[in-house]
């Protein structure tokens, strides 16, 4: 609850510089039923509901009224809803942030005595527990339950979930369903396709390697990823990503569906479990929905930075009590359309920013995260495909804060934090990565909307 002290301070500061109420044209009487419920149901309930990932539910008048002051404070300083990207720099599908007026409405509701108001509370949206998309064609579960040790530490793991099909198939959508919703925090999943005759048993090897983030040779060996003859199967990156309250990426028909071979596995390279005071277990699963045929336009991925295609400069070694800035630059070899981006750092990251500069000198903003929070590693999908012309340079820069003023610093006193090369990655090591999902550009791409079509949902 370190945070509560912090919000108290910022709330005090905020009350000194309170914006003019009239500016927002607020109603004389703010009520739950008329004004507050719609804000909460849209922006908070997707996580603050039973099994939604957040610690308590916020659906009914009672739920919200009893935490009213805390809600006022966490919205005033924009701690909630969690959306680390600056919405004024670039806008993304499903972004969740409150307008200044909505924040002022919540504050006035608390000040005026949290009235429920006349009439009935608007219906909260429905949140089906298993799938958001109807009956899956295939369910792939973790081979076994994963033990999450009760030592109050964040944990990163690499997990393999193998499966076999009767024939090669195409996949339209993969939906990750967390088993233990309290502890599963984020997940980045890849698809492994084996050559049928070169892998006798897809289920052999460990199913989990603990305390690592991102795979290396050593983890691959423990998980027995290779074919019998030692060659590696093909890996389709980032087919499934999960964060509480976030829908899986669903691109328009024909884009980015995947071929899956008869022998295959999901490889969860970055599985993050939150801290637990007692031993706990998780057995999550994937709902898989088939598509009719091969993708017309398969997606591709660039991984910039740590273990990727572009160098991090200077080398990521952050001495104790220092703040350090690193960058990576990549020249785009052909006209491309960007779909989704994912900045990745660990605990002592402080900010992240990426943009492209075209050969004619125009700047295209990609993403700015002014206050990095390792707990909220979204995959950000652009509202429309974003064209980046050939020869543009993509710049990404990250700032790390290795002082003990950084509340997420895992070491007290601070220790030198390094970016390991080719060995298993610990949560307490650092990374600087920028993952980009793209397509080779086609005329008219910039007009293609990436917002999922609501008819996809079953209700
Ligand atoms: C994407 C999921 C998500 C959304 C959306 C979300 N929350 Fe949260 N919220 C969480 C999680 C997870 C926690 C617990 C971890 C933490 O405090 O960071 C939390 C914690 C909180 C807390 C407790 C903070 C503390 O210091 O203990 C409050 C209050 C809160 N949320 C209010 C809200 C409000 C109000 C909204 C909507 C305006 C909202 N949340 C939207 C996931 C979410």
């Amino acid at each position: 609850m370190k945070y509560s002290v912090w919000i108290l301070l910022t709330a005090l500061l905020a009350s000194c510089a309170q914006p003019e109420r009239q500016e927002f044209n607020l109603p004389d009487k703010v009520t739950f039923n008329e004004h507050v419920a719609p804000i909460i149901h849209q922006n908070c309930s997707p996580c603050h509901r039973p099994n939604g990932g957040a610690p308590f539910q916020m659906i009914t008048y009672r739920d919200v009224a009893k935490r009213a002051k805390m809600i006022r404070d966490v919205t005033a300083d924009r701690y909630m809803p969690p959306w680390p990207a600056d919405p004024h720099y670039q806008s993304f599908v499903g972004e969740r942030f409150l307008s200044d007026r909505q924040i002022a409405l919540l504050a006035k509701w608390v000040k005026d005595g949290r009235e429920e108001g006349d009439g009935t509370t608007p219906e909260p949206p429905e949140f089906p527990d298993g799938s958001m998309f109807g009956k899956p064609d295939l369910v792939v579960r973790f081979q076994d339950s994963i033990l999450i040790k009760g030592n109050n530490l964040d944990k990163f793991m690499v997990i393999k979930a193998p499966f076999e099909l009767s024939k090669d198939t195409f996949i339209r959508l993969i939906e990750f369903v967390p088993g233990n919703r309290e502890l599963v925090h984020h997940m980045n999943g890849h698809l492994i396709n084996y050559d049928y005759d070169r892998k006798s048993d897809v289920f052999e090897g460990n199913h989990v390697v603990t305390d690592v983030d991102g795979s290396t040779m050593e983890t691959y060996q423990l998980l027995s990823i290779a074919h019998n003859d030692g060659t590696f199967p093909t890996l389709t990156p980032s087919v499934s990503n999960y964060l509480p309250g976030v829908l899986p990426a669903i691109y328009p028909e024909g884009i980015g569906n995947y071929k899956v071979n008869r022998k295959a596995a999901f490889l969860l390279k970055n599985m993050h479990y939150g801290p637990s005071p007692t031993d706990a277990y998780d057995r999550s699963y994937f709902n898989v929905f088939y598509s009719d045929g091969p993708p017309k336009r398969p997606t591709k991925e660039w991984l910039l930075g740590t273990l990727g295609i572009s160098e991090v400069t200077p080398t990521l070694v952050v001495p104790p009590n220092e703040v350090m800035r690193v960058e990576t630059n990549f020249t785009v070899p052909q006209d491309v359309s960007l779909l989704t981006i994912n900045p990745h750092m660990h605990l002592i990251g402080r900010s992240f920013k990426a943009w492209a500069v075209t050969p004619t000198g125009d700047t295209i903003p990609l993403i700015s995260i002014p206050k990095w929070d390792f707990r909220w590693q979204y995959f950000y999908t652009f509202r429309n495909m974003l064209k980046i012309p050939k020869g543009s340079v993509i710049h990404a820069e990250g700032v790390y804060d290795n002082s003990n003023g950084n509340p997420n610093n895992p070491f007290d006193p601070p220790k030198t934090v390094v970016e390991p090369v080719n060995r298993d990655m610990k949560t307490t090591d650092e990374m600087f990565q920028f993952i980009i999902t793209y397509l080779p550009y086609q005329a008219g791409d910039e007009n293609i909307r990436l917002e999922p079509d609501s008819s996809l949902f079953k209700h």
Side-chain angles (χ1 to χ4, degrees):
M1 289 285 127
K2 265 185 246 169
Y3 181 73
S4 310
V5 181
W6 206 77
I7 43 183
L8 205 95
L9 277 172
T10 39
L12 274 174
L13 287 174
S15 62
C16 304
Q18 224 165 42
E20 293 296 313
R21 283 267 134 76
Q22 305 86 303
E23 194 188 312
F24 300 120
N25 195 12
L26 298 184
D28 287 341
K29 197 166 99 185
V30 180
T31 70
F32 180 77
N33 287 346
E34 195 180 342
H35 309 102
V36 172
I39 301 176
I40 300 284
H41 289 166
Q42 191 184 343
N43 297 287
C44 317
S45 314
C47 301
H48 289 272
R49 62 179 162 111
N51 291 329
F56 48 87
Q57 85 167 42
M58 273 196 275
I59 294 175
T60 65
Y61 170 74
R62 278 178 59 98
D63 297 337
V64 179
K66 84 176 168 212
R67 292 200 163 79
K69 286 191 180 145
M70 210 181 184
I71 291 168
R72 175 197 61 196
D73 295 346
V74 298
T75 51
D77 80 348
R78 297 188 176 279
Y79 178 67
M80 288 282 151
W83 186 260
D86 176 356
H88 306 294
Y89 191 71
Q90 180 57 268
S91 174
F92 298 98
V93 169
E95 71 191 358
R96 258 193 213 112
F97 67 98
L98 301 183
S99 66
D100 292 342
R101 182 173 189 277
Q102 288 174 313
I103 293 170
L105 264 173
L106 293 174
K108 187 165 192 295
W109 178 64
V110 179
K111 190 162 161 255
D112 292 354
R114 10 182 144 171
E115 279 192 53
E116 184 167 8
D118 299 331
T120 47
T121 303
E123 283 292 312
E126 258 183 76
F127 300 107
D129 226 311
S131 175
M132 300 286 281
F133 305 96
K135 194 177 170 329
D137 297 301
L138 170 75
V139 176
V140 178
R141 288 178 198 283
F142 288 0
Q143 273 169 284
D144 276 306
S145 293
I146 306 289
L147 168 66
I148 305 154
K149 286 225 181 82
N151 56 7
N152 277 319
L153 295 175
D154 280 282
K155 281 168 207 71
F156 291 79
M157 303 187 190
V158 177
I159 296 170
K160 184 185 70 169
F163 57 98
E164 264 193 81
L165 303 173
S166 57
K167 58 178 179 17
D168 293 357
T169 306
F170 293 95
I171 295 180
R172 163 107 171 89
L173 172 68
I174 301 165
E175 178 185 34
F176 178 80
V177 185
N180 186 331
R181 285 181 185 253
E182 306 278 301
L183 293 179
V184 172
H185 201 282
H186 75 254
M187 185 286 297
N188 173 217
H190 312 264
L191 175 69
I192 294 173
N193 275 323
Y194 288 104
D195 293 350
Y196 188 80
D197 298 327
R198 294 163 91 181
K199 185 75 174 174
S200 48
D201 179 8
V202 290
F203 297 96
E204 72 184 350
N206 293 6
H207 71 282
V208 59
V209 180
T210 52
D211 204 20
V212 289
D213 186 22
S215 309
T216 58
M217 267 321 174
E218 217 175 314
T219 18
Y220 282 159
Q221 267 156 18
L222 287 166
L223 296 170
S224 185
I225 296 296
H227 286 124
N228 298 358
D229 60 11
T231 58
F232 276 97
T234 51
L235 184 123
T236 314
S238 299
V239 296
S240 177
N241 304 299
Y242 172 82
L243 260 185
V246 180
L247 286 175
I250 317 157
Y251 298 132
E253 189 70 55
I255 292 173
N257 47 6
Y258 312 102
K259 176 163 189 264
V260 53
N261 290 355
R262 289 182 62 181
K263 289 181 178 170
F266 290 118
L267 178 67
L268 294 78
K269 274 200 193 175
N270 312 78
M271 181 80 188
H272 175 195
Y273 292 105
S276 172
T278 50
D279 281 3
Y281 292 89
D282 168 54
R283 192 163 183 203
S284 299
Y285 58 93
F286 293 90
N287 287 329
V288 180
F289 297 82
Y290 295 156
S291 71
D292 298 338
K296 291 190 196 76
R297 302 179 69 187
T299 55
K300 297 169 187 260
E301 186 182 285
W302 287 317
L303 167 58
L304 274 50
T306 310
L307 305 175
I309 53 174
S310 65
E311 200 190 346
V312 178
T313 51
T315 308
L316 186 50
V317 176
V318 197
N321 300 308
E322 277 195 24
V323 170
M324 182 175 166
R325 185 188 162 283
V326 300
E327 62 175 50
T328 193
N329 301 305
F330 174 69
T331 304
V332 176
Q334 69 190 106
D335 283 358
V336 292
S337 296
L338 304 195
L339 304 176
T340 299
I341 52 178
N342 169 242
H344 182 61
M345 305 196 280
H346 285 179
L347 301 162
I348 66 162
R350 194 167 83 176
S351 65
F352 187 104
K353 190 167 181 177
W355 65 97
V357 178
T358 68
T360 53
D362 289 332
T363 297
I364 304 173
L366 298 179
I367 189 163
S368 171
I369 299 182
K371 214 166 112 191
W372 176 257
D373 184 336
F374 74 98
R375 284 168 302 182
W376 298 110
Q377 313 238 3
Y378 288 96
F379 279 72
Y380 296 90
T381 297
F382 295 101
R383 288 196 185 273
N384 277 33
M385 288 192 192
L386 182 65
K387 180 182 178 185
I388 306 287
K390 175 177 174 173
S392 301
V393 179
I394 293 179
H395 300 273
E397 67 168 46
V399 176
Y400 295 83
D401 178 353
N402 196 8
S403 70
N404 55 12
N406 177 351
N408 290 323
N409 200 325
F411 299 115
D412 183 18
K415 291 205 301 206
T416 299
V417 170
V418 295
E419 168 199 48
V421 182
N422 270 342
R423 67 175 175 81
D424 281 342
M425 196 88 46
K426 299 263 186 283
T427 312
T428 50
D429 294 334
E430 267 306 333
M431 295 180 92
F432 180 67
Q433 286 186 333
F434 188 45
I435 302 169
I436 300 172
T437 308
Y438 70 95
L439 292 170
Y441 175 78
Q442 284 180 7
D445 271 0
E446 46 280 84
N447 301 321
I448 299 183
R449 280 164 51 79
L450 295 173
E451 207 88 36
D453 178 352
S454 59
S455 67
L456 269 168
F457 304 102
K458 68 174 180 184
H459 51 274

